[in-house]
Structures are given as structure tokens and as C-alpha cells.
Amino acid sequence: MTQAPLLQVKELSKTFGGIRALEKVSFDVHEGEILGIIGPNGSGKTTIVNGITGFIRLTSGQVLFRGRDIAGKPAHKIADMGVTRTFQIMRPYYSLPAYKNLVIPLFSPRARRTGGWRGGGRLGDRHTVGIDILEEIGFERDSHVPYKATATLPTGYLKRLELARCLALKPEIIICDEVFSGLSMSEIASMVPLIERLQMDGITLIMIEHRLRELFKVASRVMVLNFGRKLMEGPPAEVMADARVKEAYFGSREVREVMDHA
Amino acid sequence: MNQNTPQRRRERIDRGIKVRCQGIYSLMSWREMTYITAPRAALIAGLLALPLVMPGMYWQRVISIVCIYALLAVGFDFLAHFVGLVSLGGAFFVGVGGYLAAILNTAWALPPIATIPAATVIGATLCTLLLLPCLPLRGVYFAIVTLMYPLFLARVIEALDILGGTDGIMGIDGFGGRWTEQYAVIGMLLIVLFAVRRLVNTDIGLVLRGVKDNDQAIRASGMNVTRYKALAVFITAAMGCMSGAFLVHIYMWSGISQFALDFSILPIAATVIGGGGTLAGPVIGCLILVPVSELLRDFGTLRIVFYALILVAFIVFRSEGIMVYAQRKYHQFERWTQV
Ligand SMILES: Nc1ncnc2c1ncn2[C@@H]1O[C@H](COP(=O)(O)OP(=O)(O)OP(=O)(O)O)[C@@H](O)[C@H]1O
Ligand SMILES: [Mg+2]
């Protein structure tokens, strides 16, 4: 690639007490690509997301976004720059109906500055925009799903709501922490085109997944983590074939089964 | 329940008129318009009529005190149920607002119409700044710090003998008439109550509710949680400081008893009784608690015990609060269904 990477992660390290959750992990993300990150449970994937987006304080390392070091900045500033994330354990506003969940990010400084959402700041308009975004991301307007109480929504919708919150900010990058997990095969099948559409809209994606088959379909490159270290990185086919990956990562039976399907 | 009797369950269903009122067309029918506006109109008319029906000056004064506590209680309810911060700061806000109004009035000879807004804004700014360090923290720190400040400030005034020491500041202007006093404070309460109700339903109000629900998601949306908490604390502190300023002009005296625990505890008790999260409920709670507390004036500080007992009784027997109960009865009917 000739262009400078959109996001450069350099020697990221994080220790929790004695546990080394991340050890000198470096990688680049280029504009418009989908980078997959895989690794066994507890290998540090969520820690990377938290580290990049400012939700935890890094022990050491640099995160360059468009050449600017964002490591150590508060989470809301990083999100304000367009580096957004979803939460592995979904964090919607349970006391509000689904569409009002989006009024909040639409009210954020970034959405008001860059959003170009129609209506600007007038009261009531963010509700309409929120419903539009939800419909775009797969909430059926006809069956009134956007109006339902968030607490009553099934996992699939909550995962979409996580993505919708990022979209409301008109993001540059979305870091998806396991948006496929907990979904049925058919639900994932309907999510995949959505992910592809986000990419076509020019949004760069980092996707952390345990569902390898689906990930390998959309990702242009995949990075493998093990015990907080980067094991390897490459195109999906190469990763799948690598002996070290198989040994370290696919030791657990369940994952091997998934692998066999792939 | 007995095994042989068929299981029965009470079912609650929205009244037809409530459902009809949710659409825009409700504005075209008198019945529905009345249904929507009657509770509000009753509250407004009731409060405005109170001074007229009170038997004497003593009880009219009690009504003013009710309104002062109600301002604090609405503030508590707003902060606790719409922002997720439990404040024990009633005494802190009243003390700061009260002393500020007293100083502005005695040192600069400003009339109440100037001291009350000034004390509200300056006091709320001061209180917010003093509470700022504990806003990023989660958990009980905020509650504890809001409780510490009034104790601390009262001791400082006492020990250093500043601001009149234990005697307090005397010679403060009154409102120049009990009707002015009554309607100034009742009017203020109504304005504040409806303004806060309005606020929690605007977009910024939704953000505040989001802070309570899930502050991590707020951060992930590119918004500074501490800033929104500070805004909410400012609003609550402003209401508290305003009530303190009213108080010193009503009593024409400002003293360390304005840092008394009553101002922190009674609004909470009133919120529990009236129904948390309803904003109007705490006002009703104050309408009950303050007069009862006046009747028990002879018992002195033992009144705190009495609030505690009422609180416990309400939490055990009717935890939802009067207003929540009334709203349910108004909007829904119940029937028994077989399970
Ligand atoms: N807040 C924390 N305090 C202490 N240890 C933590 C904390 N967060 C994560 N860890 C530890 O760091 C390691 C990496 O955790 P992380 O959540 O990043 O794993 P993961 O790859 O996301 O796993 P999963 O696939 O289960 O989501 C784990 O050993 C975990 O126990
Ligand atoms: Mg994880």
C-alpha cells in the first residue's frame, strides 16, 4: 500500500495487575479495508478495542489515527474523531425505546458537526433520523420494532443497535467487538450484506470475531492474537492454512469444528 | 396460594381514553383534552389556591416552607431518577444560596428580586465547582461529599465566627407582604416544576437519562459524561440555592441552621412518599410531610426519627409512591384474569 495507514497501532501493551493482557501488539489498518482480529478467549481482543478507543489506560504503546497519536486521550474525544466501537456486552439505554437510543449519539458534538443529518438541531427531528438509521440497519419499521422498549429486543437487534450508535456519529472507523456472536446463522447471513454496505460507504472496519467462516468472507486481512501477542497476520486463506495458528488457536474443539466447516 | 383454587392474576390495561390521547387527533376533542390537562390544571389550581384556604398567617408561612422543600425535592428527584446521582446536598445548596442572598442583601443592599436570581446563579456555580472533583467517580462518593460540605461549612462559620457566627446574619429584607411572599415562591415552584418536566423530555434530557442508564455508551458516542453530570448538578444546585435564598428572605435571617440535615433528608423522604421519577410526586410528598413535621415541631431533632419511620413504612407498604399509584389508577383499569 502506498497510502499512509488510517490507523497505526504500535507496540501496544497492557498489564492488569500481574496479567499481561497485551504485549507489544502492532498493526496497521488502511482506509476502506476490513481487518479481522481473531484469537482464543482471553487473548486480549477486547483489550485492544478498549486500548484504541480510550476506555482503558494503556501501559505503553502508540495509537496513530491519521498520523496523530490518540493514545491516552479520553474516550469521548477519540469517539469524537470518528473512531467508534461496539461493545461485546451490548450497552444500549434499556430504559428508552430503541429509536430514542439514537437521539443521544445524534445529539453528540460530532454528529451535529459532521452529521449532515437533515433537520439540524430542531426538537423532534433526531427522532425521525434515528428511526431512519434503524430502518437502514435492519429494524422493520412496519412491525414497529424501532418503537419497542429496548429491554424487550432480542440479541440480534441489540447488536444492530450497537452498530447504529456508531453510524449516528458518521464514523471513519467502526471497531466491532463480536457483532456476530450470539446470533443465529440466518441472522448473521442478514448482517453480512450490511457489513459490506458499510465498507462500500467508505467506513473502515475492524472486526473481532469468533465466527470465522463469516469473518473470512468479508475480511481483507486477518490478525491472530494468542496470549496477548500477535501470532501472525495475512489474508484469510493464509491464516487458515498456517500451522502455528491451528496449533495455538484451534486447539479447542469447538473452534476446530467451526474451522472444518470453513 | 391454595393449590385447588384456580390461579388468578390482576391484569392492568390502559384506559381507552389514554390510548386515544397518544395521537395528535386527541387535540381535537374536548374529552381528551380535558383528560390530558386536568391533572396539571388541578396541581396548578390547587397550589395557587392554598394560601387562600389556609386558616391563618402561621399556616400560610408553612405553605411557603412546603414550596421551599418542594424545590429541593424536585431537584433531588431530577438528579436521582433522570441522571442517576443520589444527592444528599439539600442542606449544602440551601446554606450556600441562603448565605449568598443574605450577604448580597446586607452588604450591597440589593432587593430580593435581585438577590434571589444572583444567589441562584452564583451559588449553583460555586456548588458545582466544589462538587466537580467527585463527578467522574462512580458509586457513593457523590452522596457522601454532598453530605460533608454542609457539615464542614457550618463548623467553619461557627469556629471562625465569620458571617455572623452562631448568631447568623440579621436584618435581611423581607418580601414586603405575605401575599407577595406566598405567590412568589409558589409561582417559582410551578415554573421550575414544569421547566424540569420539559427538560427531561428534550434531547439533552435524553442524554442525561442516558448518563444514568449507561455512561459508557455516552462516552462511546463522543460525549463527555462529566460535563453532563456537571450540568445536571448545576441545575439541581440552582434549585437548591434558589430555595435557600427564598428562605432567608422569608425568615429575614440567615444562620447555620440552614446547613441542617433536614434540608437533605426531608426532600428524599418526600420523593419516596410522592413517587420517584414523577417530579410532581415529590411536591405532593412535601405537601404531606412538611405540615406534619410542623405539628411535631416540639420534638425538635427527633423529627429526623419520624422521617425515617415514614420512609421505612412507605418503602415496605407502598414502595411505588403516591403519584405513581395515582397515575396508574388514572391511566389504567384492572381486572382479574385466570392464569
Ligand atoms: N479489567 C480487567 N481487569 C483484570 N484483567 C482483565 C481485565 N480485562 C481483561 N482482563 C484480562 O485480560 C485478558 C484479555 O481479556 P480480553 O477481554 O481482552 O479477552 P478477549 O480476547 O476479548 O476474550 P473473549 O473472546 O472472551 O472476549 C484476560 O485474561 C482477562 O482476564
Ligand atoms: Mg472480548
Side-chain angles (χ1 to χ4, degrees), chain A residues 40-47 49-50 88-89 177-178 208 210:
Chain A
N41 288 114
S43 57
K45 303 182 298 296
T46 299
T47 309
V49 183
N50 288 336
Q88 182 174 354
I89 299 160
D177 198 352
E178 302 197 14
I208 291 170
H210 278 305

Side-chain angles (χ1 to χ4, degrees), chain B residues 16-36:
Chain B
I17 188 156
K18 162 149 204 270
V19 179
R20 284 200 299 281
C21 284
Q22 282 162 352
I24 185 87
Y25 301 107
S26 62
L27 299 180
M28 293 175 353
S29 136
W30 275 111
R31 255 170 63 97
E32 268 114 61
M33 282 286 277
T34 315
Y35 179 83
I36 294 174

Side-chain angles (χ1 to χ4, degrees), chain B residues 105-137:
Chain B
N105 183 246
T106 52
W108 278 290
L110 294 176
I113 192 141
T115 59
I116 291 172
T120 303
V121 174
I122 301 169
T125 312
L126 275 176
C127 292
T128 311
L129 287 177
L130 286 170
L131 290 171
L132 212 50
C134 61
L135 286 185
L137 306 175

Side-chain angles (χ1 to χ4, degrees), chain B residues 42-59:
Chain B
L43 182 73
I44 296 172
L47 276 177
L48 289 178
L50 265 181
L52 304 173
V53 298
M54 282 298 129
M57 272 178 64
Y58 174 77
W59 283 101

Side-chain angles (χ1 to χ4, degrees), chain B residues 55 102 134 175-176 205 218 220 225 258 276 290 315 330:
Chain B
C134 61
F175 281 93
I218 296 278
V225 173
Q258 267 143 29
V290 176
I315 289 168
Y330 191 63

